[in-house]
Amino acid sequence: MKLNIKRVTVVGIAFLTISAFWQLYDFAVPLLLRRDFEIPDTLLGVVMSLDNILALVLLPFFGSLSDKTSTKLGKRMPFILVGTVVAAFGMLLLPYAADAQKLGLFIGSLAIVLLFMSVYRSPAVALMPDVTIKPLRSQANAIINLMGAIGGVVTLAGLTLLDPLQFGYFPIFLLIAGLMLLGLVVMLVIVKENRWAKEMEVDTLAYHVTEIKEDPKTKALPQAVKRSLTFMLISIALWFMGYNAVISAFSRYATIQIGLTDAQASAILLVANVGAIVSFIPVGTFSAKVGRKKTIQLGVILLTLVFATATLYKGFTPWIYINFILAGVAWAAINVNSLPMVLEMSDAGDVGKYTGLYYAFSMAAQIVTPILSGVLFDSIGYEILFPYAAIFVFFAFLTMSQVKHGDTIVESEEK
Protein backbone atom coordinates (compact mmCIF):
# COMPACT_ATOMS: atom_id res chain seq x y z
CA MET A 1 0.00 0.00 0.00
CA LYS A 2 1.85 3.07 -1.27
CA LEU A 3 0.65 6.61 -1.89
CA ASN A 4 0.80 7.78 -5.52
CA ILE A 5 2.39 11.16 -4.80
CA LYS A 6 2.35 12.34 -8.42
CA ARG A 7 -1.36 11.60 -8.76
CA VAL A 8 -2.29 13.38 -5.51
CA THR A 9 -0.13 16.38 -6.47
CA VAL A 10 -1.95 16.78 -9.80
CA VAL A 11 -5.33 16.43 -8.08
CA GLY A 12 -4.15 19.06 -5.56
CA ILE A 13 -3.78 21.69 -8.29
CA ALA A 14 -7.48 22.47 -7.88
CA PHE A 15 -6.98 23.22 -4.17
CA LEU A 16 -3.91 25.30 -5.04
CA THR A 17 -5.99 27.55 -7.31
CA ILE A 18 -8.81 27.75 -4.76
CA SER A 19 -6.38 28.85 -2.03
CA ALA A 20 -4.71 31.36 -4.35
CA PHE A 21 -8.11 32.92 -5.07
CA TRP A 22 -9.18 33.14 -1.41
CA GLN A 23 -5.88 34.71 -0.41
CA LEU A 24 -6.47 37.41 -3.02
CA TYR A 25 -10.14 37.76 -2.06
CA ASP A 26 -9.39 38.27 1.63
CA PHE A 27 -6.65 40.80 0.87
CA ALA A 28 -8.07 42.81 -2.02
CA VAL A 29 -11.86 42.87 -1.78
CA PRO A 30 -12.08 44.70 1.60
CA LEU A 31 -9.59 47.29 0.37
CA LEU A 32 -11.47 47.81 -2.90
CA LEU A 33 -14.78 48.21 -1.08
CA ARG A 34 -13.31 50.62 1.46
CA ARG A 35 -11.09 52.66 -0.86
CA ASP A 36 -13.13 52.87 -4.05
CA PHE A 37 -16.68 52.72 -2.69
CA GLU A 38 -16.15 54.06 0.86
CA ILE A 39 -18.21 51.22 2.32
CA PRO A 40 -18.49 51.51 6.14
CA ASP A 41 -16.97 48.74 8.27
CA THR A 42 -20.29 47.25 9.35
CA LEU A 43 -21.56 46.84 5.80
CA LEU A 44 -18.13 45.71 4.67
CA GLY A 45 -18.22 42.96 7.28
CA VAL A 46 -21.57 41.79 5.96
CA VAL A 47 -20.25 41.63 2.40
CA MET A 48 -17.12 39.76 3.50
CA SER A 49 -19.22 37.19 5.35
CA LEU A 50 -21.24 36.34 2.23
CA ASP A 51 -18.76 33.66 1.16
CA ASN A 52 -19.12 31.79 4.47
CA ILE A 53 -22.92 32.14 4.45
CA LEU A 54 -23.15 30.86 0.86
CA ALA A 55 -20.78 28.03 1.74
CA LEU A 56 -23.14 26.71 4.43
CA VAL A 57 -25.72 25.87 1.78
CA LEU A 58 -23.80 25.54 -1.47
CA LEU A 59 -20.82 23.39 -0.47
CA PRO A 60 -22.93 20.45 0.78
CA PHE A 61 -25.31 20.90 -2.18
CA PHE A 62 -22.66 20.81 -4.91
CA GLY A 63 -20.71 18.11 -3.10
CA SER A 64 -23.80 15.90 -2.98
CA LEU A 65 -24.74 16.79 -6.57
CA SER A 66 -21.30 15.75 -7.79
CA ASP A 67 -21.75 12.37 -6.05
CA LYS A 68 -24.69 11.71 -8.37
CA THR A 69 -22.96 12.94 -11.53
CA SER A 70 -21.52 10.61 -14.16
CA THR A 71 -19.73 11.88 -17.27
CA LYS A 72 -16.78 10.95 -19.48
CA LEU A 73 -14.74 13.48 -17.50
CA GLY A 74 -15.81 11.91 -14.20
CA LYS A 75 -17.94 13.04 -11.26
CA ARG A 76 -15.88 15.99 -10.07
CA MET A 77 -14.07 17.33 -13.13
CA PRO A 78 -17.18 18.86 -14.79
CA PHE A 79 -17.77 20.98 -11.68
CA ILE A 80 -14.09 21.94 -11.52
CA LEU A 81 -14.20 22.89 -15.23
CA VAL A 82 -17.33 25.07 -15.08
CA GLY A 83 -16.56 26.61 -11.69
CA THR A 84 -12.98 27.54 -12.57
CA VAL A 85 -13.77 29.08 -15.97
CA VAL A 86 -16.69 31.25 -14.79
CA ALA A 87 -14.96 32.32 -11.56
CA ALA A 88 -11.71 33.17 -13.37
CA PHE A 89 -13.38 35.41 -15.94
CA GLY A 90 -15.85 36.86 -13.42
CA MET A 91 -13.10 37.96 -11.03
CA LEU A 92 -11.54 40.12 -13.77
CA LEU A 93 -14.62 42.36 -13.59
CA LEU A 94 -13.91 43.24 -9.95
CA PRO A 95 -10.94 45.62 -10.45
CA TYR A 96 -12.64 47.10 -13.52
CA ALA A 97 -15.85 47.79 -11.56
CA ALA A 98 -13.84 49.32 -8.71
CA ASP A 99 -11.89 51.62 -11.04
CA ALA A 100 -15.12 52.63 -12.83
CA GLN A 101 -16.92 53.22 -9.49
CA LYS A 102 -19.72 50.85 -10.52
CA LEU A 103 -20.86 49.35 -7.22
CA GLY A 104 -23.74 47.37 -8.76
CA LEU A 105 -21.38 45.68 -11.23
CA PHE A 106 -18.88 44.99 -8.44
CA ILE A 107 -21.44 43.33 -6.14
CA GLY A 108 -23.02 41.40 -9.04
CA SER A 109 -19.63 40.15 -10.24
CA LEU A 110 -18.63 39.25 -6.69
CA ALA A 111 -21.85 37.23 -6.24
CA ILE A 112 -21.17 35.31 -9.47
CA VAL A 113 -17.57 34.62 -8.49
CA LEU A 114 -18.54 33.38 -5.01
CA LEU A 115 -21.28 31.19 -6.47
CA PHE A 116 -18.99 29.49 -8.97
CA MET A 117 -16.15 29.11 -6.48
CA SER A 118 -18.70 27.17 -4.41
CA VAL A 119 -19.60 25.10 -7.49
CA TYR A 120 -16.17 23.50 -7.59
CA ARG A 121 -14.81 23.75 -4.05
CA SER A 122 -16.37 20.58 -2.57
CA PRO A 123 -15.96 18.50 -5.77
CA ALA A 124 -12.30 19.59 -6.00
CA VAL A 125 -11.60 18.47 -2.42
CA ALA A 126 -13.64 15.26 -2.90
CA LEU A 127 -11.51 14.29 -5.90
CA MET A 128 -8.59 13.29 -3.66
CA PRO A 129 -10.50 10.65 -1.65
CA ASP A 130 -12.12 9.44 -4.88
CA VAL A 131 -8.72 8.35 -6.17
CA THR A 132 -6.96 7.54 -2.86
CA ILE A 133 -7.53 4.45 -0.73
CA LYS A 134 -8.86 5.26 2.76
CA PRO A 135 -5.78 4.39 4.89
CA LEU A 136 -3.59 6.75 2.83
CA ARG A 137 -5.88 9.78 2.88
CA SER A 138 -4.15 11.60 5.74
CA GLN A 139 -0.85 11.46 3.88
CA ALA A 140 -2.63 12.55 0.70
CA ASN A 141 -4.40 15.36 2.54
CA ALA A 142 -1.03 16.58 3.79
CA ILE A 143 0.02 17.05 0.16
CA ILE A 144 -3.30 18.75 -0.64
CA ASN A 145 -2.79 21.20 2.23
CA LEU A 146 0.76 21.86 1.07
CA MET A 147 -0.54 22.62 -2.43
CA GLY A 148 -3.03 25.05 -0.90
CA ALA A 149 -0.24 26.76 1.01
CA ILE A 150 1.73 27.14 -2.22
CA GLY A 151 -1.31 28.78 -3.80
CA GLY A 152 -1.43 31.31 -0.98
CA VAL A 153 2.29 32.01 -1.33
CA VAL A 154 1.89 32.62 -5.09
CA THR A 155 -0.75 35.26 -4.39
CA LEU A 156 1.30 36.95 -1.65
CA ALA A 157 4.35 36.98 -3.93
CA GLY A 158 2.23 38.42 -6.73
CA LEU A 159 0.92 41.16 -4.45
CA THR A 160 4.50 42.03 -3.54
CA LEU A 161 5.83 42.11 -7.12
CA LEU A 162 2.73 43.64 -8.69
CA ASP A 163 2.21 46.26 -6.02
CA PRO A 164 -1.43 47.39 -6.39
CA LEU A 165 -0.51 50.91 -5.24
CA GLN A 166 1.78 51.16 -8.27
CA PHE A 167 0.09 48.98 -10.91
CA GLY A 168 -3.51 48.86 -9.76
CA TYR A 169 -5.38 45.65 -8.96
CA PHE A 170 -6.04 44.36 -12.48
CA PRO A 171 -2.56 42.78 -12.98
CA ILE A 172 -2.76 40.67 -9.80
CA PHE A 173 -6.34 39.59 -10.57
CA LEU A 174 -5.20 38.68 -14.08
CA LEU A 175 -2.28 36.69 -12.68
CA ILE A 176 -4.47 34.61 -10.36
CA ALA A 177 -7.17 34.11 -13.02
CA GLY A 178 -4.44 32.93 -15.39
CA LEU A 179 -3.09 30.57 -12.71
CA MET A 180 -6.58 29.12 -12.22
CA LEU A 181 -7.08 28.53 -15.95
CA LEU A 182 -3.58 27.10 -16.39
CA GLY A 183 -4.15 24.72 -13.49
CA LEU A 184 -7.44 23.64 -15.05
CA VAL A 185 -5.76 22.88 -18.38
CA VAL A 186 -3.10 20.78 -16.65
CA MET A 187 -5.79 18.83 -14.80
CA LEU A 188 -7.88 18.26 -17.93
CA VAL A 189 -4.81 16.85 -19.72
CA ILE A 190 -3.44 14.67 -16.91
CA VAL A 191 -6.33 13.68 -14.61
CA LYS A 192 -8.10 10.46 -15.63
CA GLU A 193 -10.77 10.57 -12.96
CA ASN A 194 -12.88 7.56 -13.97
CA ARG A 195 -9.86 5.30 -14.45
CA TRP A 196 -8.16 6.42 -11.26
CA ALA A 197 -11.37 5.99 -9.25
CA LYS A 198 -11.74 2.46 -10.60
CA GLU A 199 -8.16 1.67 -9.62
CA MET A 200 -8.90 2.94 -6.11
CA GLU A 201 -11.89 0.59 -5.88
CA VAL A 202 -9.69 -2.32 -6.96
CA ASP A 203 -7.08 -1.42 -4.32
CA THR A 204 -9.81 -1.18 -1.68
CA LEU A 205 -10.84 -4.76 -2.40
CA ALA A 206 -7.27 -6.01 -2.71
CA TYR A 207 -6.24 -4.61 0.68
CA HIS A 208 -9.54 -5.64 2.32
CA VAL A 209 -10.34 -2.06 3.35
CA THR A 210 -13.73 -1.95 5.04
CA GLU A 211 -16.24 0.45 3.51
CA ILE A 212 -19.05 1.83 5.67
CA LYS A 213 -22.43 1.26 4.05
CA GLU A 214 -25.54 3.35 4.56
CA ASP A 215 -28.88 1.63 5.00
CA PRO A 216 -30.22 1.35 1.42
CA LYS A 217 -33.75 2.25 2.57
CA THR A 218 -33.17 5.03 5.08
CA LYS A 219 -29.83 6.26 3.68
CA ALA A 220 -28.63 6.39 7.31
CA LEU A 221 -25.25 5.37 8.70
CA PRO A 222 -25.04 2.72 11.43
CA GLN A 223 -25.99 4.35 14.75
CA ALA A 224 -22.52 4.04 16.32
CA VAL A 225 -20.85 5.55 13.26
CA LYS A 226 -23.44 8.35 13.13
CA ARG A 227 -22.67 9.20 16.77
CA SER A 228 -18.93 9.37 16.04
CA LEU A 229 -19.55 11.51 12.97
CA THR A 230 -21.70 13.91 15.02
CA PHE A 231 -18.99 14.37 17.65
CA MET A 232 -16.37 14.71 14.91
CA LEU A 233 -18.30 17.52 13.23
CA ILE A 234 -18.86 19.26 16.59
CA SER A 235 -15.11 19.00 17.25
CA ILE A 236 -14.37 20.60 13.86
CA ALA A 237 -16.69 23.51 14.67
CA LEU A 238 -15.12 23.97 18.13
CA TRP A 239 -11.50 24.11 17.04
CA PHE A 240 -12.39 26.45 14.17
CA MET A 241 -14.18 28.66 16.72
CA GLY A 242 -10.94 28.97 18.66
CA TYR A 243 -8.39 29.11 15.86
CA ASN A 244 -10.33 31.46 13.57
CA ALA A 245 -10.94 33.90 16.44
CA VAL A 246 -7.17 34.26 16.84
CA ILE A 247 -6.45 34.52 13.11
CA SER A 248 -9.14 37.14 12.49
CA ALA A 249 -8.48 39.27 15.60
CA PHE A 250 -4.75 38.89 16.24
CA SER A 251 -3.72 42.01 14.35
CA ARG A 252 -6.02 44.10 16.59
CA TYR A 253 -4.96 42.24 19.75
CA ALA A 254 -1.27 42.62 18.93
CA THR A 255 -1.39 46.33 18.10
CA ILE A 256 -4.00 47.52 20.63
CA GLN A 257 -3.60 45.15 23.58
CA ILE A 258 0.16 44.50 23.74
CA GLY A 259 1.50 47.36 21.61
CA LEU A 260 3.16 45.55 18.70
CA THR A 261 3.66 47.17 15.32
CA ASP A 262 1.74 46.04 12.22
CA ALA A 263 4.94 44.49 10.86
CA GLN A 264 5.54 42.50 14.06
CA ALA A 265 1.94 41.26 14.09
CA SER A 266 2.07 40.11 10.46
CA ALA A 267 5.46 38.45 11.01
CA ILE A 268 4.06 36.44 13.92
CA LEU A 269 1.16 35.18 11.79
CA LEU A 270 3.62 34.40 9.00
CA VAL A 271 5.70 32.12 11.23
CA ALA A 272 2.49 30.28 12.20
CA ASN A 273 1.90 29.61 8.49
CA VAL A 274 5.51 28.49 8.07
CA GLY A 275 5.12 26.14 11.04
CA ALA A 276 2.07 24.58 9.40
CA ILE A 277 3.67 24.30 5.95
CA VAL A 278 6.80 22.49 7.15
CA SER A 279 4.66 20.17 9.29
CA PHE A 280 2.13 18.97 6.71
CA ILE A 281 4.14 16.06 5.27
CA PRO A 282 5.71 14.89 8.58
CA VAL A 283 2.28 15.02 10.23
CA GLY A 284 0.79 12.89 7.45
CA THR A 285 3.53 10.30 7.92
CA PHE A 286 3.21 10.39 11.72
CA SER A 287 -0.56 9.93 11.68
CA ALA A 288 -0.23 6.95 9.33
CA LYS A 289 1.80 5.23 12.05
CA VAL A 290 0.03 6.24 15.27
CA GLY A 291 -3.47 6.96 14.00
CA ARG A 292 -5.47 10.03 13.04
CA LYS A 293 -7.37 10.46 16.32
CA LYS A 294 -4.24 10.44 18.49
CA THR A 295 -2.53 12.88 16.15
CA ILE A 296 -5.50 15.25 16.26
CA GLN A 297 -5.71 14.99 20.06
CA LEU A 298 -2.00 15.79 20.37
CA GLY A 299 -2.53 18.77 18.08
CA VAL A 300 -5.53 19.95 20.12
CA ILE A 301 -3.60 19.69 23.40
CA LEU A 302 -0.66 21.59 21.91
CA LEU A 303 -2.92 24.31 20.47
CA THR A 304 -4.70 24.70 23.82
CA LEU A 305 -1.36 25.14 25.60
CA VAL A 306 -0.13 27.60 22.97
CA PHE A 307 -3.22 29.79 23.30
CA ALA A 308 -3.25 29.54 27.10
CA THR A 309 0.40 30.60 27.41
CA ALA A 310 0.02 33.38 24.80
CA THR A 311 -1.91 35.35 27.43
CA LEU A 312 1.35 35.71 29.38
CA TYR A 313 2.96 37.99 26.80
CA LYS A 314 2.43 41.67 27.59
CA GLY A 315 4.64 43.03 24.82
CA PHE A 316 7.03 41.88 22.13
CA THR A 317 9.33 38.98 22.93
CA PRO A 318 11.02 36.46 20.61
CA TRP A 319 9.30 33.68 22.55
CA ILE A 320 6.01 34.59 20.93
CA TYR A 321 7.44 33.36 17.62
CA ILE A 322 8.01 29.95 19.20
CA ASN A 323 4.40 29.96 20.40
CA PHE A 324 3.04 30.61 16.95
CA ILE A 325 5.34 28.16 15.19
CA LEU A 326 3.96 25.54 17.56
CA ALA A 327 0.43 26.79 16.78
CA GLY A 328 1.14 26.12 13.09
CA VAL A 329 2.41 22.62 13.88
CA ALA A 330 -0.66 21.92 16.02
CA TRP A 331 -3.01 23.22 13.34
CA ALA A 332 -1.33 21.00 10.74
CA ALA A 333 -1.81 17.95 12.99
CA ILE A 334 -5.52 18.78 13.29
CA ASN A 335 -6.21 19.90 9.74
CA VAL A 336 -4.42 17.11 7.90
CA ASN A 337 -6.42 14.41 9.68
CA SER A 338 -9.89 15.88 10.27
CA LEU A 339 -11.29 15.63 6.73
CA PRO A 340 -9.96 12.06 6.22
CA MET A 341 -11.63 11.04 9.50
CA VAL A 342 -14.96 12.42 8.30
CA LEU A 343 -14.58 10.66 4.94
CA GLU A 344 -13.57 7.42 6.64
CA MET A 345 -17.09 7.39 8.12
CA SER A 346 -18.80 8.05 4.78
CA ASP A 347 -20.37 5.71 2.30
CA ALA A 348 -18.08 5.42 -0.74
CA GLY A 349 -20.78 6.93 -2.94
CA ASP A 350 -21.26 10.02 -0.76
CA VAL A 351 -17.76 11.45 -0.51
CA GLY A 352 -18.87 14.80 -1.97
CA LYS A 353 -21.77 15.09 0.48
CA TYR A 354 -19.55 14.43 3.49
CA THR A 355 -16.90 16.82 2.18
CA GLY A 356 -19.65 19.45 2.05
CA LEU A 357 -20.66 18.59 5.63
CA TYR A 358 -17.07 19.11 6.79
CA TYR A 359 -17.00 22.56 5.20
CA ALA A 360 -20.48 23.45 6.44
CA PHE A 361 -19.44 22.95 10.09
CA SER A 362 -16.10 24.72 9.66
CA MET A 363 -17.74 27.64 7.84
CA ALA A 364 -20.52 27.91 10.43
CA ALA A 365 -17.87 28.32 13.12
CA GLN A 366 -16.12 30.99 11.07
CA ILE A 367 -19.40 32.92 10.78
CA VAL A 368 -20.26 32.70 14.49
CA THR A 369 -16.87 33.22 16.14
CA PRO A 370 -16.12 36.76 14.84
CA ILE A 371 -19.53 37.89 16.11
CA LEU A 372 -19.29 36.15 19.49
CA SER A 373 -15.69 37.17 20.10
CA GLY A 374 -16.52 40.72 18.98
CA VAL A 375 -19.22 40.97 21.65
CA LEU A 376 -16.71 39.82 24.26
CA PHE A 377 -14.08 42.30 23.02
CA ASP A 378 -16.58 45.14 23.40
CA SER A 379 -17.68 44.07 26.89
CA ILE A 380 -14.41 42.77 28.37
CA GLY A 381 -11.55 43.81 26.11
CA TYR A 382 -9.03 42.15 23.81
CA GLU A 383 -7.40 40.33 26.73
CA ILE A 384 -10.19 37.73 26.44
CA LEU A 385 -8.98 36.60 22.99
CA PHE A 386 -6.59 33.81 23.96
CA PRO A 387 -8.61 32.46 26.92
CA TYR A 388 -11.63 32.36 24.56
CA ALA A 389 -9.64 30.43 21.94
CA ALA A 390 -8.07 28.05 24.47
CA ILE A 391 -11.46 27.17 25.98
CA PHE A 392 -13.05 26.30 22.63
CA VAL A 393 -10.06 24.23 21.53
CA PHE A 394 -10.06 22.38 24.87
CA PHE A 395 -13.76 21.57 24.44
CA ALA A 396 -12.81 20.04 21.08
CA PHE A 397 -10.50 17.65 22.93
CA LEU A 398 -13.46 16.51 25.06
CA THR A 399 -15.72 15.93 22.06
CA MET A 400 -12.92 14.13 20.16
CA SER A 401 -12.73 11.62 23.00
CA GLN A 402 -16.22 10.49 21.97
CA VAL A 403 -15.19 9.77 18.36
CA LYS A 404 -14.77 6.01 17.99
CA HIS A 405 -14.65 5.68 14.19
CA GLY A 406 -12.72 7.18 11.31
CA ASP A 407 -9.24 6.19 12.44
CA THR A 408 -6.71 4.09 10.57
CA ILE A 409 -3.11 2.98 10.83
CA VAL A 410 -1.32 2.04 7.63
CA GLU A 411 0.04 -1.51 7.81
CA SER A 412 3.48 -2.24 6.46
CA GLU A 413 3.69 -3.57 2.89
CA GLU A 414 5.04 -6.91 4.13
CA LYS A 415 2.34 -7.35 6.78
Side-chain angles (χ1 to χ4, degrees), residues 80-307:
I80 296 172
L81 171 60
V82 174
T84 302
V85 170
V86 178
F89 283 104
M91 64 189 284
L92 295 178
L93 291 173
L94 297 176
Y96 166 75
D99 288 340
Q101 297 285 296
K102 295 181 178 180
L103 181 58
L105 177 61
F106 188 93
I107 296 299
S109 301
L110 186 62
I112 290 171
V113 171
L114 293 178
L115 171 62
F116 281 89
M117 288 301 297
S118 296
V119 166
Y120 88 99
R121 190 169 182 175
S122 288
V125 175
L127 184 56
M128 179 277 285
D130 280 346
V131 301
T132 306
I133 194 169
K134 278 189 172 183
L136 297 177
R137 287 177 184 170
S138 286
Q139 293 162 281
N141 202 38
I143 295 174
I144 297 295
N145 277 274
L146 183 58
M147 294 291 285
I150 292 171
V153 168
V154 169
T155 297
L156 292 173
L159 285 164
T160 302
L161 296 173
L162 302 172
D163 184 358
L165 292 177
Q166 182 177 355
F167 300 105
Y169 274 95
F170 187 79
I172 183 62
F173 273 85
L174 182 62
L175 173 67
I176 300 307
L179 175 67
M180 292 167 67
L181 294 172
L182 177 62
L184 174 64
V185 170
V186 172
M187 291 188 70
L188 288 171
V189 171
I190 298 178
V191 173
K192 311 297 179 186
E193 183 184 337
N194 288 328
R195 193 184 81 199
W196 293 358
K198 186 64 178 177
E199 289 174 4
M200 192 277 288
E201 292 174 6
V202 171
D203 287 343
T204 296
L205 293 173
Y207 285 102
H208 307 290
V209 175
T210 303
E211 288 282 1
I212 291 174
K213 295 294 183 184
E214 293 180 344
D215 187 298
K217 293 181 179 179
T218 63
K219 295 294 182 181
L221 292 170
Q223 193 60 37
V225 177
K226 187 176 180 180
R227 183 179 186 275
S228 286
L229 178 62
T230 300
F231 276 104
M232 185 71 214
L233 293 172
I234 292 171
S235 301
I236 289 165
L238 287 171
W239 59 58
F240 267 99
M241 287 283 290
Y243 186 79
N244 188 257
V246 172
I247 294 302
S248 61
F250 181 74
S251 60
R252 286 170 286 161
Y253 173 88
T255 55
I256 296 172
Q257 183 66 27
I258 60 176
L260 304 189
T261 65
D262 289 357
Q264 288 172 326
S266 62
I268 290 167
L269 291 178
L270 178 61
V271 300
N273 285 332
V274 171
I277 289 169
V278 299
S279 301
F280 284 139
I281 303 301
V283 161
T285 303
F286 179 79
S287 61
K289 295 180 179 179
V290 306
R292 294 168 182 156
K293 179 179 175 179
K294 287 182 180 178
T295 304
I296 288 176
Q297 287 180 311
L298 288 171
V300 169
I301 291 171
L302 178 58
L303 194 60
T304 302
L305 292 173
V306 165
F307 288 161

Side-chain angles (χ1 to χ4, degrees), residues 17-35:
T17 63
I18 290 169
S19 298
F21 167 82
W22 287 115
Q23 183 72 61
L24 179 59
Y25 172 85
D26 289 335
F27 184 93
V29 171
L31 293 176
L32 291 173
L33 287 169
R34 188 69 184 270
R35 185 196 67 190

